[in-house]
Amino acid sequence: MEALLDLTKPIDVALLERTVQGLLDNVDVTRAQAVLTVLKEHPDAYCTMDVVLERSTCPHTRFFAIQTLDHAILTRWPVLPEAQRQGIRDFLVAFIIKVCTDVPNLAQNRALLNKADATLVNIAKREWPHRWPTFVQ
């Protein structure tokens, strides 16, 4: 599990899925919770969550990835470089559109979509209207 905390290497999505599932299944809960908390609070963790959202098939792992992005937006947004803020914003908009257009799985992804929407609202609160004037067009 601790290998997830080495962000100098690409994130192991399968290991993250096992860690999240272990937490849900009450297997090594204390260790899993500690690793996930440290990962979510790591200053660079948000940089790997796009990979998790694209590759993971586990809804709980994908939800954790959105939570991690949201945590970065709430705590680090003003200090992130403009290019990274723009990249996160664009990725999140594209992700929401992708989830919305997957009609057969829309009901299954409702919680994920709601969290992604709330995360986008957190970005809009910080960016609109000055740095994101086209948000409401």
Side-chain angles (χ1 to χ4, degrees):
M1 280 186 219
E2 286 76 11
L4 291 170
L5 303 178
D6 183 2
L7 296 178
T8 62
K9 299 175 186 167
I11 192 157
D12 184 341
V13 176
L15 178 57
L16 181 59
E17 287 179 334
R18 287 191 306 273
T19 303
V20 170
Q21 195 58 49
L23 182 66
L24 296 171
D25 294 341
N26 290 322
V27 177
D28 209 358
V29 174
T30 305
R31 185 171 160 217
Q33 183 65 46
V35 168
L36 292 174
T37 299
V38 170
L39 179 61
K40 184 169 86 170
E41 293 174 354
H42 191 286
D44 296 324
Y46 71 93
C47 296
T48 63
M49 293 304 122
D50 59 332
V51 174
V52 175
L53 287 166
E54 292 294 328
R55 294 185 186 165
S56 177
T57 57
C58 174
H60 299 290
T61 303
R62 296 174 87 201
F63 193 87
F64 172 79
I66 291 289
Q67 283 181 316
T68 303
L69 278 176
D70 195 50
H71 180 76
I73 290 159
L74 294 174
T75 60
R76 299 183 36 83
W77 193 255
V79 298
L80 296 179
E82 175 62 31
Q84 285 185 352
R85 290 195 311 258
Q86 178 77 36
I88 292 169
R89 195 175 80 193
D90 293 348
F91 173 81
L92 196 54
V93 168
F95 178 77
I96 290 170
I97 291 169
K98 180 180 173 184
V99 172
C100 286
T101 58
D102 185 13
V103 177
N105 295 314
L106 191 57
Q108 174 187 353
N109 290 323
R110 179 61 56 196
L112 178 67
L113 182 59
N114 288 342
K115 184 63 176 173
D117 288 343
T119 302
L120 186 62
V121 167
N122 283 330
I123 292 173
K125 286 178 185 178
R126 288 154 178 78
E127 295 286 291
W128 185 80
H130 303 294
R131 289 184 298 257
W132 197 5
T134 60
F135 176 66
V136 187
Q137 284 185 346

Coordinates of all heavy atoms in Angstrom, one line a residue, residues 22-113:
G22 N -10.0 -2.7 0.2 CA -9.6 -3.2 1.5 C -10.3 -2.4 2.6 O -10.7 -2.9 3.6
L23 N -10.3 -1.1 2.4 CA -11.0 -0.2 3.3 C -12.4 -0.5 3.4 O -13.0 -0.6 4.5 CB -10.7 1.2 2.9 CG -11.3 2.3 3.9 CD1 -10.6 2.3 5.2 CD2 -11.1 3.7 3.2
L24 N -13.1 -0.7 2.3 CA -14.5 -1.0 2.3 C -14.8 -2.4 2.8 O -15.9 -2.6 3.4 CB -15.0 -0.9 0.8 CG -14.9 0.5 0.2 CD1 -15.3 0.4 -1.3 CD2 -15.8 1.4 0.9
D25 N -13.9 -3.4 2.6 CA -14.1 -4.7 3.1 C -13.6 -5.0 4.5 O -13.6 -6.1 5.0 CB -13.4 -5.7 2.2 CG -14.0 -5.7 0.8 OD1 -15.2 -5.3 0.6 OD2 -13.3 -6.2 -0.2
N26 N -13.2 -3.9 5.2 CA -12.7 -4.0 6.6 C -11.4 -4.9 6.7 O -11.3 -5.6 7.6 CB -13.7 -4.5 7.5 CG -14.8 -3.4 7.8 OD1 -14.5 -2.2 7.8 ND2 -16.0 -3.8 7.9
V27 N -10.6 -4.8 5.6 CA -9.3 -5.6 5.6 C -8.2 -4.5 5.8 O -8.0 -3.7 5.0 CB -9.1 -6.3 4.3 CG1 -7.8 -7.0 4.3 CG2 -10.3 -7.3 4.1
D28 N -7.5 -4.6 6.9 CA -6.4 -3.7 7.2 C -6.8 -2.3 7.1 O -6.2 -1.4 6.5 CB -5.2 -4.0 6.3 CG -3.9 -3.7 6.9 OD1 -3.9 -3.2 8.1 OD2 -2.9 -3.9 6.2
V29 N -8.0 -2.0 7.8 CA -8.6 -0.7 7.7 C -7.7 0.5 8.1 O -7.6 1.5 7.4 CB -9.9 -0.6 8.5 CG1 -10.5 0.7 8.5 CG2 -10.9 -1.7 7.9
T30 N -7.0 0.3 9.2 CA -6.2 1.4 9.8 C -5.1 1.8 8.8 O -4.9 2.9 8.5 CB -5.6 1.0 11.1 OG1 -6.7 0.6 12.0 CG2 -4.8 2.1 11.7
R31 N -4.4 0.8 8.3 CA -3.3 1.0 7.3 C -3.9 1.6 6.0 O -3.3 2.6 5.5 CB -2.6 -0.3 7.0 CG -1.4 -0.2 6.2 CD -0.6 -1.5 6.1 NE 0.2 -1.6 5.0 CZ 0.5 -2.6 4.3 NH1 -0.1 -3.8 4.6 NH2 1.3 -2.6 3.3
A32 N -5.0 1.1 5.5 CA -5.5 1.6 4.3 C -6.0 3.1 4.4 O -5.7 3.9 3.6 CB -6.7 0.7 3.8
Q33 N -6.6 3.3 5.6 CA -7.1 4.7 5.8 C -5.9 5.7 5.9 O -5.9 6.8 5.4 CB -7.9 4.7 7.1 CG -8.5 6.1 7.4 CD -9.5 6.6 6.4 OE1 -10.4 5.8 6.0 NE2 -9.4 7.8 5.9
A34 N -4.9 5.2 6.6 CA -3.7 6.1 6.8 C -3.0 6.4 5.4 O -2.7 7.5 5.1 CB -2.7 5.4 7.7
V35 N -2.9 5.3 4.6 CA -2.3 5.5 3.3 C -3.1 6.5 2.4 O -2.6 7.4 1.7 CB -2.0 4.2 2.6 CG1 -1.7 4.4 1.1 CG2 -0.9 3.4 3.3
L36 N -4.4 6.2 2.4 CA -5.3 7.0 1.6 C -5.4 8.5 2.0 O -5.4 9.4 1.2 CB -6.7 6.4 1.5 CG -6.8 5.1 0.8 CD1 -8.2 4.5 1.0 CD2 -6.5 5.2 -0.7
T37 N -5.3 8.7 3.3 CA -5.3 10.1 3.9 C -4.0 10.8 3.5 O -4.1 11.9 3.0 CB -5.5 10.0 5.4 OG1 -6.7 9.4 5.7 CG2 -5.4 11.4 6.0
V38 N -2.9 10.1 3.6 CA -1.6 10.7 3.3 C -1.6 11.0 1.8 O -1.1 12.1 1.3 CB -0.4 9.9 3.7 CG1 0.9 10.4 3.2 CG2 -0.4 9.8 5.3
L39 N -2.1 10.1 1.0 CA -2.1 10.3 -0.5 C -3.0 11.5 -0.8 O -2.5 12.3 -1.6 CB -2.6 9.0 -1.2 CG -2.7 9.1 -2.7 CD1 -1.3 9.4 -3.3 CD2 -3.3 7.8 -3.2
K40 N -4.1 11.5 -0.3 CA -5.1 12.6 -0.6 C -4.5 14.0 -0.2 O -4.6 15.0 -1.0 CB -6.4 12.4 0.1 CG -7.4 13.5 -0.3 CD -8.8 13.1 0.2 CE -9.0 13.6 1.6 NZ -10.4 13.5 2.0
E41 N -3.7 14.0 0.9 CA -3.2 15.3 1.3 C -1.8 15.6 0.7 O -1.3 16.7 1.0 CB -3.1 15.3 2.9 CG -4.5 15.3 3.5 CD -4.5 15.1 5.0 OE1 -3.4 14.9 5.6 OE2 -5.6 15.2 5.5
H42 N -1.2 14.7 0.0 CA 0.1 14.9 -0.6 C 0.0 16.1 -1.6 O -1.0 16.1 -2.4 CB 0.6 13.7 -1.4 CG 2.0 13.7 -1.8 ND1 2.4 14.5 -2.9 CD2 3.1 13.1 -1.3 CE1 3.7 14.4 -3.0 NE2 4.1 13.5 -2.1
P43 N 0.9 17.0 -1.6 CA 0.8 18.2 -2.4 C 0.7 17.9 -3.9 O 0.2 18.7 -4.7 CB 2.0 19.1 -2.1 CG 2.7 18.4 -1.0 CD 2.1 17.1 -0.7
D44 N 1.3 16.8 -4.4 CA 1.3 16.5 -5.8 C 0.3 15.4 -6.2 O 0.3 15.0 -7.4 CB 2.7 16.1 -6.2 CG 3.7 17.3 -6.1 OD1 3.2 18.4 -6.3 OD2 4.8 17.0 -5.7
A45 N -0.5 14.9 -5.3 CA -1.4 13.8 -5.6 C -2.4 14.1 -6.7 O -2.7 13.2 -7.5 CB -2.1 13.3 -4.3
Y46 N -2.8 15.3 -6.7 CA -3.8 15.7 -7.8 C -3.3 15.4 -9.2 O -4.1 15.2 -10.1 CB -4.2 17.1 -7.6 CG -3.2 18.1 -8.0 CD1 -3.1 18.6 -9.2 CD2 -2.2 18.5 -7.0 CE1 -2.1 19.5 -9.6 CE2 -1.2 19.4 -7.4 CZ -1.2 19.9 -8.7 OH -0.2 20.8 -9.0
C47 N -2.0 15.5 -9.3 CA -1.4 15.3 -10.7 C -1.6 13.9 -11.2 O -1.4 13.7 -12.4 CB 0.1 15.6 -10.6 SG 0.5 17.3 -10.2
T48 N -1.9 12.9 -10.4 CA -2.0 11.5 -10.8 C -3.5 11.1 -10.9 O -3.8 10.0 -11.4 CB -1.3 10.6 -9.8 OG1 -1.9 10.7 -8.5 CG2 0.2 10.9 -9.7
M49 N -4.4 11.9 -10.5 CA -5.8 11.5 -10.4 C -6.5 11.4 -11.7 O -7.4 10.7 -11.9 CB -6.6 12.4 -9.4 CG -6.2 12.3 -8.0 SD -6.2 10.6 -7.4 CE -4.6 10.3 -6.8
D50 N -6.0 12.1 -12.7 CA -6.5 11.9 -14.1 C -6.3 10.5 -14.6 O -7.2 9.9 -15.2 CB -5.9 12.9 -15.1 CG -4.4 12.8 -15.2 OD1 -3.8 12.4 -14.2 OD2 -3.9 13.2 -16.3
V51 N -5.2 9.9 -14.3 CA -4.9 8.6 -14.7 C -5.8 7.6 -14.0 O -6.4 6.7 -14.6 CB -3.4 8.2 -14.4 CG1 -3.1 6.7 -14.6 CG2 -2.5 9.1 -15.2
V52 N -6.1 7.8 -12.7 CA -7.0 7.0 -11.9 C -8.4 7.1 -12.5 O -9.0 6.1 -12.7 CB -7.0 7.4 -10.4 CG1 -8.0 6.6 -9.6 CG2 -5.6 7.2 -9.8
L53 N -8.8 8.3 -12.8 CA -10.2 8.4 -13.3 C -10.3 7.8 -14.7 O -11.4 7.3 -15.0 CB -10.6 9.9 -13.4 CG -10.8 10.5 -12.0 CD1 -10.8 12.1 -12.1 CD2 -12.1 10.0 -11.4
E54 N -9.3 7.8 -15.5 CA -9.4 7.2 -16.8 C -9.3 5.7 -16.8 O -9.9 5.0 -17.6 CB -8.3 7.8 -17.7 CG -8.5 9.3 -18.0 CD -9.7 9.5 -18.9 OE1 -10.1 8.7 -19.7 OE2 -10.3 10.6 -18.7
R55 N -8.4 5.2 -15.9 CA -8.1 3.7 -15.9 C -8.9 2.9 -14.9 O -9.1 1.7 -15.1 CB -6.7 3.5 -15.7 CG -5.8 4.0 -16.8 CD -4.4 3.7 -16.6 NE -3.5 4.4 -17.6 CZ -2.2 4.5 -17.5 NH1 -1.6 4.0 -16.4 NH2 -1.5 5.1 -18.4
S56 N -9.4 3.5 -13.8 CA -10.0 2.7 -12.8 C -11.4 2.3 -13.3 O -12.1 3.1 -13.9 CB -10.1 3.4 -11.5 OG -10.8 2.7 -10.5
T57 N -11.8 1.1 -12.9 CA -13.2 0.6 -13.1 C -14.0 0.6 -11.8 O -15.2 0.3 -11.9 CB -13.2 -0.8 -13.8 OG1 -12.5 -1.7 -12.9 CG2 -12.5 -0.7 -15.1
C58 N -13.3 0.8 -10.7 CA -14.0 0.8 -9.4 C -14.6 2.1 -9.1 O -13.9 3.1 -9.0 CB -13.0 0.4 -8.3 SG -13.6 0.5 -6.7
P59 N -15.9 2.2 -8.9 CA -16.5 3.5 -8.6 C -16.0 4.2 -7.3 O -15.9 5.4 -7.3 CB -18.0 3.2 -8.4 CG -18.2 1.8 -8.9 CD -16.9 1.1 -9.0
H60 N -15.7 3.4 -6.3 CA -15.1 4.0 -5.1 C -13.8 4.6 -5.3 O -13.4 5.6 -4.7 CB -15.1 2.9 -4.0 CG -16.5 2.4 -3.6 ND1 -17.4 3.1 -3.0 CD2 -17.0 1.1 -3.9 CE1 -18.5 2.4 -2.9 NE2 -18.3 1.2 -3.4
T61 N -13.0 3.9 -6.1 CA -11.6 4.5 -6.4 C -11.7 5.7 -7.2 O -11.0 6.7 -7.0 CB -10.8 3.4 -7.1 OG1 -10.7 2.2 -6.3 CG2 -9.4 3.9 -7.4
R62 N -12.6 5.8 -8.1 CA -12.8 7.0 -8.9 C -13.4 8.1 -8.1 O -13.0 9.3 -8.2 CB -13.8 6.7 -10.1 CG -13.2 5.6 -11.1 CD -14.2 5.2 -12.1 NE -14.0 6.2 -13.2 CZ -15.0 6.4 -14.1 NH1 -16.1 5.7 -14.1 NH2 -14.8 7.3 -15.1
F63 N -14.2 7.8 -7.1 CA -14.7 8.8 -6.2 C -13.6 9.3 -5.3 O -13.5 10.6 -5.1 CB -15.8 8.2 -5.3 CG -16.6 9.2 -4.5 CD1 -17.7 9.8 -5.1 CD2 -16.2 9.6 -3.3 CE1 -18.5 10.8 -4.4 CE2 -16.9 10.6 -2.6 CZ -18.1 11.1 -3.1
F64 N -12.7 8.5 -4.9 CA -11.5 8.9 -4.1 C -10.7 9.9 -5.0 O -10.2 10.9 -4.5 CB -10.7 7.7 -3.7 CG -9.4 8.1 -3.1 CD1 -9.3 8.6 -1.8 CD2 -8.2 8.1 -3.8 CE1 -8.1 9.0 -1.2 CE2 -7.0 8.5 -3.2 CZ -6.9 8.9 -1.9
A65 N -10.5 9.6 -6.3 CA -9.7 10.4 -7.1 C -10.4 11.8 -7.2 O -9.7 12.8 -7.2 CB -9.6 9.8 -8.5
I66 N -11.7 11.9 -7.4 CA -12.4 13.2 -7.4 C -12.2 13.9 -6.1 O -12.0 15.1 -6.0 CB -13.9 13.0 -7.8 CG1 -14.0 12.6 -9.2 CG2 -14.6 14.3 -7.5 CD1 -13.7 13.6 -10.3
Q67 N -12.3 13.2 -5.0 CA -12.1 13.8 -3.6 C -10.7 14.4 -3.5 O -10.5 15.5 -3.0 CB -12.3 12.7 -2.5 CG -13.7 12.4 -2.2 CD -13.7 11.3 -1.1 OE1 -12.9 10.4 -1.1 NE2 -14.6 11.6 -0.1
T68 N -9.7 13.7 -4.1 CA -8.3 14.2 -4.0 C -8.2 15.4 -4.9 O -7.5 16.4 -4.4 CB -7.4 13.1 -4.5 OG1 -7.6 11.9 -3.7 CG2 -5.9 13.5 -4.4
L69 N -8.8 15.5 -6.0 CA -8.8 16.7 -6.9 C -9.5 17.8 -6.1 O -9.0 19.0 -6.1 CB -9.5 16.5 -8.2 CG -8.7 15.8 -9.3 CD1 -9.6 15.6 -10.5 CD2 -7.5 16.7 -9.7
D70 N -10.6 17.5 -5.5 CA -11.4 18.6 -4.8 C -10.5 19.1 -3.6 O -10.5 20.3 -3.3 CB -12.7 18.0 -4.3 CG -13.7 19.0 -3.8 OD1 -13.9 20.0 -4.6 OD2 -14.2 18.9 -2.7
H71 N -9.8 18.2 -2.9 CA -9.0 18.6 -1.8 C -7.9 19.6 -2.3 O -7.6 20.6 -1.7 CB -8.4 17.4 -1.1 CG -7.5 17.7 0.0 ND1 -7.9 18.1 1.2 CD2 -6.1 17.8 0.1 CE1 -6.9 18.3 2.1 NE2 -5.8 18.2 1.4
A72 N -7.3 19.3 -3.4 CA -6.3 20.2 -4.0 C -6.8 21.5 -4.4 O -6.2 22.6 -4.1 CB -5.6 19.5 -5.2
I73 N -8.0 21.5 -4.9 CA -8.7 22.8 -5.3 C -9.0 23.6 -4.1 O -8.7 24.8 -4.1 CB -10.0 22.5 -6.1 CG1 -9.6 21.9 -7.5 CG2 -10.8 23.7 -6.3 CD1 -10.6 21.1 -8.2
L74 N -9.5 23.0 -3.0 CA -9.8 23.7 -1.8 C -8.6 24.2 -1.0 O -8.7 25.2 -0.4 CB -10.7 22.8 -0.9 CG -12.1 22.4 -1.4 CD1 -12.7 21.4 -0.5 CD2 -12.9 23.7 -1.6
T75 N -7.5 23.5 -1.1 CA -6.3 23.8 -0.3 C -5.2 24.5 -1.1 O -4.4 25.2 -0.5 CB -5.8 22.6 0.5 OG1 -5.4 21.6 -0.5 CG2 -6.9 22.1 1.4
R76 N -5.0 24.2 -2.4 CA -3.8 24.6 -3.1 C -4.1 25.4 -4.3 O -3.2 25.9 -5.0 CB -3.0 23.4 -3.5 CG -2.5 22.5 -2.3 CD -1.7 21.4 -2.7 NE -0.8 21.6 -3.8 CZ 0.4 22.1 -3.8 NH1 0.8 22.6 -2.7 NH2 1.1 22.3 -4.9
W77 N -5.3 25.6 -4.7 CA -5.7 26.3 -6.0 C -4.9 27.6 -6.2 O -4.3 27.8 -7.3 CB -7.2 26.5 -6.0 CG -7.6 26.8 -7.4 CD1 -8.0 28.1 -7.9 CD2 -7.7 26.0 -8.5 NE1 -8.3 28.0 -9.2 CE2 -8.2 26.7 -9.6 CE3 -7.5 24.6 -8.7 CZ2 -8.4 26.2 -10.9 CZ3 -7.8 24.0 -10.0 CH2 -8.2 24.8 -11.0
P78 N -4.9 28.5 -5.3 CA -4.2 29.8 -5.6 C -2.7 29.7 -5.9 O -2.1 30.5 -6.6 CB -4.4 30.6 -4.3 CG -5.5 29.9 -3.5 CD -5.4 28.5 -3.9
V79 N -2.0 28.6 -5.4 CA -0.6 28.5 -5.6 C -0.2 27.6 -6.8 O 0.9 27.5 -7.2 CB 0.1 28.0 -4.3 CG1 0.0 28.9 -3.2 CG2 -0.3 26.6 -3.9
L80 N -1.2 27.0 -7.4 CA -1.0 26.2 -8.6 C -0.7 27.1 -9.8 O -1.3 28.1 -9.9 CB -2.2 25.3 -8.9 CG -2.5 24.2 -7.9 CD1 -3.8 23.4 -8.3 CD2 -1.4 23.3 -7.6
P81 N 0.3 26.7 -10.6 CA 0.5 27.5 -11.8 C -0.7 27.5 -12.7 O -1.5 26.6 -12.7 CB 1.6 26.7 -12.5 CG 2.2 25.8 -11.5 CD 1.1 25.5 -10.5
E82 N -0.8 28.6 -13.4 CA -2.0 28.8 -14.3 C -2.2 27.6 -15.3 O -3.4 27.2 -15.5 CB -1.8 30.1 -15.1 CG -2.9 30.4 -16.1 CD -4.3 30.5 -15.5 OE1 -4.4 31.0 -14.4 OE2 -5.3 30.1 -16.2
A83 N -1.2 27.1 -15.8 CA -1.3 26.0 -16.8 C -1.9 24.8 -16.1 O -2.7 24.1 -16.7 CB 0.0 25.6 -17.4
Q84 N -1.5 24.5 -14.9 CA -2.1 23.4 -14.1 C -3.6 23.6 -13.8 O -4.4 22.7 -13.9 CB -1.3 23.1 -12.9 CG 0.0 22.4 -13.2 CD 0.8 22.0 -11.9 OE1 0.4 22.3 -10.8 NE2 1.8 21.2 -12.1
R85 N -3.9 24.8 -13.4 CA -5.3 25.1 -13.1 C -6.1 25.0 -14.3 O -7.2 24.4 -14.3 CB -5.4 26.6 -12.5 CG -4.8 26.7 -11.1 CD -5.3 28.0 -10.5 NE -5.1 29.2 -11.3 CZ -4.2 30.1 -11.2 NH1 -3.2 29.9 -10.3 NH2 -4.1 31.2 -12.0
Q86 N -5.6 25.5 -15.4 CA -6.4 25.3 -16.7 C -6.5 23.8 -17.1 O -7.6 23.4 -17.5 CB -5.6 26.1 -17.8 CG -6.2 25.9 -19.2 CD -7.5 26.8 -19.3 OE1 -7.5 27.9 -18.8 NE2 -8.5 26.4 -20.0
G87 N -5.5 23.1 -16.9 CA -5.5 21.6 -17.2 C -6.5 20.9 -16.4 O -7.3 20.0 -16.9
I88 N -6.5 21.2 -15.1 CA -7.5 20.5 -14.2 C -8.9 20.9 -14.6 O -9.8 20.0 -14.7 CB -7.2 20.9 -12.7 CG1 -5.9 20.3 -12.2 CG2 -8.3 20.5 -11.8 CD1 -5.4 20.9 -10.9
R89 N -9.1 22.2 -14.8 CA -10.4 22.6 -15.2 C -10.9 22.0 -16.5 O -12.0 21.4 -16.6 CB -10.3 24.2 -15.4 CG -11.6 24.9 -15.5 CD -11.4 26.3 -15.5 NE -11.1 26.7 -16.9 CZ -10.6 27.9 -17.2 NH1 -10.3 28.8 -16.3 NH2 -10.3 28.2 -18.4
D90 N -10.1 21.9 -17.5 CA -10.4 21.3 -18.8 C -10.7 19.8 -18.6 O -11.6 19.3 -19.2 CB -9.3 21.6 -19.8 CG -9.2 23.1 -20.2 OD1 -10.1 23.9 -19.9 OD2 -8.2 23.4 -20.9
F91 N -9.8 19.2 -17.9 CA -10.0 17.7 -17.7 C -11.3 17.5 -17.0 O -12.0 16.5 -17.4 CB -8.8 17.2 -16.8 CG -9.1 15.7 -16.5 CD1 -8.8 14.7 -17.4 CD2 -9.6 15.4 -15.2 CE1 -9.1 13.4 -17.0 CE2 -9.8 14.1 -14.9 CZ -9.6 13.1 -15.8
L92 N -11.6 18.2 -15.9 CA -12.8 18.0 -15.2 C -14.1 18.2 -16.0 O -15.0 17.4 -16.0 CB -12.8 18.8 -13.9 CG -13.8 18.5 -12.9 CD1 -13.7 17.0 -12.4 CD2 -13.7 19.4 -11.6
V93 N -14.1 19.2 -16.8 CA -15.2 19.5 -17.7 C -15.4 18.3 -18.7 O -16.5 17.8 -18.9 CB -15.0 20.8 -18.5 CG1 -16.0 21.0 -19.6 CG2 -15.2 22.0 -17.5
A94 N -14.3 17.9 -19.3 CA -14.3 16.8 -20.2 C -14.8 15.5 -19.5 O -15.6 14.7 -20.1 CB -13.0 16.6 -20.9
F95 N -14.3 15.3 -18.3 CA -14.7 14.1 -17.6 C -16.2 14.1 -17.3 O -16.9 13.1 -17.4 CB -13.9 14.0 -16.3 CG -14.3 12.8 -15.4 CD1 -13.8 11.6 -15.7 CD2 -15.1 13.0 -14.3 CE1 -14.2 10.5 -14.9 CE2 -15.4 11.9 -13.5 CZ -15.0 10.7 -13.8
I96 N -16.7 15.2 -16.9 CA -18.2 15.3 -16.6 C -19.0 15.1 -17.8 O -20.0 14.3 -17.8 CB -18.5 16.7 -16.0 CG1 -17.9 16.8 -14.5 CG2 -20.0 17.0 -16.0 CD1 -17.9 18.2 -13.9
I97 N -18.6 15.6 -18.9 CA -19.3 15.4 -20.2 C -19.2 13.9 -20.6 O -20.2 13.3 -21.0 CB -18.7 16.2 -21.3 CG1 -19.0 17.7 -21.1 CG2 -19.2 15.8 -22.7 CD1 -18.3 18.7 -21.9
K98 N -18.1 13.3 -20.4 CA -17.9 11.8 -20.7 C -18.9 11.0 -19.8 O -19.5 10.1 -20.3 CB -16.5 11.4 -20.5 CG -16.2 10.0 -20.8 CD -14.7 9.7 -20.5 CE -14.4 8.2 -20.7 NZ -13.0 7.9 -20.4
V99 N -18.9 11.3 -18.5 CA -19.8 10.5 -17.6 C -21.2 10.7 -18.0 O -22.0 9.8 -18.0 CB -19.5 10.9 -16.2 CG1 -20.5 10.2 -15.2 CG2 -18.1 10.5 -15.8
C100 N -21.6 12.0 -18.3 CA -23.0 12.3 -18.7 C -23.4 11.6 -20.0 O -24.6 11.3 -20.1 CB -23.2 13.8 -18.8 SG -23.2 14.7 -17.3
T101 N -22.5 11.4 -20.9 CA -22.9 10.8 -22.2 C -22.9 9.3 -22.1 O -23.3 8.7 -23.1 CB -22.0 11.3 -23.3 OG1 -20.6 11.0 -23.0 CG2 -22.1 12.8 -23.5
D102 N -22.4 8.7 -21.0 CA -22.5 7.3 -20.9 C -23.8 6.9 -20.2 O -23.9 6.5 -19.1 CB -21.3 6.9 -20.0 CG -21.2 5.3 -19.8 OD1 -21.8 4.6 -20.6 OD2 -20.4 4.9 -19.0
V103 N -24.8 7.0 -21.0 CA -26.2 6.8 -20.5 C -26.5 5.5 -19.9 O -27.1 5.4 -18.8 CB -27.2 7.1 -21.7 CG1 -28.7 6.9 -21.2 CG2 -27.1 8.5 -22.2
P104 N -26.0 4.4 -20.4 CA -26.2 3.1 -19.8 C -25.7 3.0 -18.3 O -26.2 2.3 -17.5 CB -25.5 2.1 -20.6 CG -25.4 2.7 -22.0 CD -25.3 4.2 -21.7
N105 N -24.6 3.7 -18.0 CA -24.0 3.7 -16.7 C -24.3 4.9 -15.9 O -23.6 5.1 -14.8 CB -22.5 3.4 -16.8 CG -22.2 2.1 -17.4 OD1 -22.8 1.1 -17.0 ND2 -21.3 2.1 -18.4
L106 N -25.1 5.8 -16.4 CA -25.3 7.1 -15.7 C -25.9 6.9 -14.2 O -25.4 7.5 -13.3 CB -26.3 8.0 -16.5 CG -26.4 9.4 -16.0 CD1 -25.1 10.1 -16.0 CD2 -27.4 10.2 -16.9
A107 N -26.8 6.0 -14.1 CA -27.3 5.8 -12.7 C -26.3 5.2 -11.8 O -26.2 5.7 -10.6 CB -28.5 4.8 -12.8
Q108 N -25.4 4.4 -12.3 CA -24.4 3.8 -11.5 C -23.3 4.8 -11.1 O -22.7 4.7 -10.0 CB -23.7 2.6 -12.2 CG -22.5 2.1 -11.6 CD -21.8 1.1 -12.5 OE1 -22.2 0.7 -13.6 NE2 -20.6 0.6 -12.0
N109 N -23.1 5.8 -11.9 CA -22.1 6.8 -11.7 C -22.7 8.1 -11.1 O -22.0 9.2 -11.1 CB -21.4 7.2 -13.0 CG -20.5 6.0 -13.5 OD1 -19.9 5.4 -12.7 ND2 -20.5 5.8 -14.8
R110 N -23.9 8.1 -10.6 CA -24.6 9.3 -10.1 C -23.8 10.0 -9.0 O -23.5 11.2 -9.0 CB -26.0 9.0 -9.6 CG -26.7 10.1 -9.0 CD -27.0 11.3 -10.0 NE -27.7 10.8 -11.2 CZ -27.8 11.5 -12.3 NH1 -27.2 12.7 -12.3 NH2 -28.4 11.1 -13.3
A111 N -23.3 9.2 -8.0 CA -22.5 9.8 -6.9 C -21.2 10.4 -7.4 O -20.8 11.5 -7.0 CB -22.2 8.8 -5.8
L112 N -20.6 9.7 -8.3 CA -19.3 10.2 -8.9 C -19.6 11.5 -9.7 O -18.8 12.5 -9.5 CB -18.7 9.2 -9.8 CG -17.4 9.6 -10.6 CD1 -16.3 9.7 -9.6 CD2 -17.1 8.5 -11.6
L113 N -20.6 11.5 -10.4 CA -21.0 12.7 -11.2 C -21.3 13.9 -10.3 O -20.9 15.0 -10.5 CB -22.2 12.4 -12.1 CG -22.6 13.6 -13.1 CD1 -21.5 14.1 -13.9 CD2 -23.8 13.1 -13.9

